[in-house]
Amino acid sequence: MHNIFDNEQLRAVLFDMDGVLFDSMPNHATAWTQAVASFGLYMTRKEVYMNEGRTGSGTINTLTQRSWGRYATEQEVEQIYKAKSAFFNQCPTAQPMPFAREVVEAVRARGLARVIVTGSGQLSLLERLNVAFSGAFCQELMVTAFDVKLGKPNPEPYLKGLAKAGQALNADHSPLLPSQAIVVENAPLGIQAAKAAGIFCVAVNTGPLEDEVLLDAGADIIFPSMCALADYLTHKDA
Ligand code: MG
């Protein structure tokens, strides 16, 4: 089978962060389940993985509708999200996903731009990315919570990714075409967002969900780990 990264049109790879570059999802699962329990709500760890990529308020409203039959007030959203962040900050620092460095280096070796597209809004993000991935990412090529109004599964984050990449790479600063990029995602809502933006989506199943969930979300190809994706990237016409 033709290697999808051999496509001559390809200019950039758009990386999701949590569950792709950093092994941070177990911490998010712990933080969400504990935080919402302290407000009399409940969320299973699996539900955290199913909702990954949604905005904080989107996730919280799903839970309050189920348990309280109504949307959360703005104040409740703020309190619950603050509690979630506090629990998250108590967790051990998430390490880079095993073989994420190899994947990023293989993308770099192919001469492709590396773009971050995350719903996360941690200010220390770039610093951590630079430490873990030794300068493979730059500020101009990052889409974070501060750049978007609508979280995944809306295509907005990935469309912004194409725009930022085009701004940096094209002489006329026009956005990259969807066909000039590939997305790497681990979460169903992230895959939906990538597909809604018209971009080929590589799913990497680094969590507890069934492959079927990622394929049903629209993944074009699926790998069981970043290790498998690194292998694929370093073999031409594998
Ligand atoms: Mg993710």
Side-chain angles (χ1 to χ4, degrees), residues 16-21 24-25 52-53 152 184-187 190 206:
D16 170 53
M17 190 181 70
D18 289 300
V20 170
L21 297 179
S24 45
M25 280 309 295
E52 186 195 344
K152 299 167 185 177
V184 181
E185 262 288 352
N186 70 305
T206 61

Side-chain angles (χ1 to χ4, degrees), residues 45-66:
R45 291 182 74 86
K46 187 179 175 187
E47 284 174 330
V48 176
Y49 284 89
M50 289 299 292
N51 282 280
E52 186 195 344
R54 222 184 270 292
T55 60
S57 62
T59 301
I60 290 163
N61 277 314
T62 308
L63 304 180
T64 61
Q65 278 181 294
R66 174 168 69 188

